[in-house]
Amino acid sequence: MAAKIEIITTSDAGRLAEKGAELLYNTAKEAVARKDSFAVAVSGGSTPRAMHRLLSQEPYLADMPWQKTHFFWVDERMLPFDHPDSNYGAAQKDLMSIIPIPADQVYPMPAMMRSEEGADLYQAKLKTFFQDLGSLDPVFDLIILGIGTDGHTASLFPGQPSSQEPDRWVLSVKGGQPDVFRLTLTYAVLNRARHILFLASGGAKAAVVKTLIEDSRSQLPAAKIQALNGKITWLLDQKAASLLVEKKG
């Protein structure tokens, strides 16, 4: 990874969620001050859910610039939104149904159609959104990513063909747990973000965190996240950071 990298280690998963909410809030305030809007792409999983629940409470409920915030998704399973494995469904329950954000500033991935058609539709939505901001490229202010123990991030899995075409922003893929069709943002989008936040919690992630941070030769999907014009923050709890040679934060 050639990007500027910051490693923050917290005491436990609860403190990690607190720090993540604080970072998102600060990034949102900075983006709104700079360009009057904040665009974020979020992931599913248990660690982001804890952060989302905090964002739905004070002080963030009143202080976040929700009226100028735009929520997108990094990836989604092709399942109904009321399914327990739906990333949007979880975020809707924990956050979107509570915060005072305009409904047309929340952009779930289209999960109830053929995945190839859904990928084209979401890509078109991204292009329209960023062109309206005066950008031909998708430049998110913040992208929040998790990692799997196999080194996957978003729905970009090891051994799976993944497009490196710069004009392909959203892919249809199949894999993961559960093994279903999914939509995922591509490296062409992820690597253009101003700020990428990796969240990792628990001892089961320690080995892959060590590989991704310390092995410059790694070919795991998450190792291809480079933040070409921005920075990467690794937000870890002590268990996830336990194998690192040098822990910072």
Side-chain angles (χ1 to χ4, degrees):
M1 295 182 182
K4 177 184 176 183
I5 297 175
E6 178 184 25
I7 302 170
I8 301 173
T9 302
T10 62
S11 57
D12 53 35
R15 180 58 186 143
L16 182 149
E18 292 173 2
K19 189 68 176 178
E22 178 185 324
L23 190 150
L24 185 147
Y25 169 77
N26 289 335
T27 305
K29 296 287 279 189
E30 184 277 331
V32 169
R34 174 169 45 83
K35 60 183 182 66
D36 203 39
S37 69
F38 171 56
V40 57
V42 298
S43 298
S46 58
T47 304
R49 289 198 71 173
M51 184 181 71
H52 291 167
R53 293 186 187 109
L54 289 176
L55 289 167
S56 72
Q57 304 169 21
E58 298 300 354
Y60 302 113
L61 185 60
D63 288 350
M64 261 288 292
W66 298 118
Q67 296 296 313
K68 298 180 183 295
T69 295
H70 298 261
F71 269 97
F72 291 82
W73 269 258
V74 168
D75 64 335
E76 183 60 275
R77 302 170 179 94
M78 305 303 283
L79 298 168
F81 289 149
D82 60 359
H83 191 283
D85 290 323
S86 168
N87 289 343
Y88 171 75
Q92 169 68 11
K93 178 180 179 180
D94 295 335
L95 182 62
M96 303 304 162
S97 63
I98 303 170
I99 59 176
I101 188 171
D104 62 355
Q105 291 173 202
V106 179
Y107 309 85
M109 286 181 157
M112 297 306 294
M113 60 174 60
R114 291 182 64 251
S115 57
E116 294 85 355
E117 294 174 356
D120 290 340
L121 182 61
Y122 207 65
Q123 175 152 328
K125 185 172 294 188
L126 286 172
K127 285 189 174 181
T128 298
F129 175 80
F130 284 105
Q131 285 175 358
D132 287 346
L133 293 179
S135 175
L136 295 178
D137 296 320
V139 182
F140 280 98
D141 299 299
L142 179 66
I143 293 180
I144 301 174
L145 297 174
I147 55 167
T149 55
D150 62 353
H152 85 265
T153 193
S155 285
L156 301 167
F157 299 100
Q160 182 184 68
S162 58
S163 173
Q164 297 289 345
E165 299 174 25
D167 60 348
R168 189 71 243 177
W169 295 359
V170 186
L171 284 180
S172 164
V173 300
K174 187 174 185 294
Q177 296 296 327
D179 184 8
V180 296
F181 282 101
R182 301 159 178 255
L183 300 181
T184 184
L185 300 185
T186 67
Y187 297 112
V189 179
L190 301 176
N191 286 339
R192 284 191 173 100
R194 292 181 179 274
H195 194 171
I196 294 170
L197 174 61
F198 273 112
L199 301 178
S201 175
K205 302 288 178 69
V208 72
V209 165
K210 178 179 176 63
T211 296
L212 291 168
I213 292 177
E214 296 182 356
D215 183 1
S216 61
R217 299 169 298 174
S218 174
Q219 294 299 306
L220 293 174
K224 299 175 184 177
I225 301 298
Q226 298 176 1
L228 299 175
N229 298 301
K231 68 176 182 177
I232 295 173
T233 298
W234 283 88
L235 183 52
L236 313 168
D237 66 8
Q238 284 188 344
K239 291 182 178 178
S242 62
L243 298 181
L244 294 179
V245 172
E246 180 182 0
K247 296 189 284 290
K248 304 176 183 178

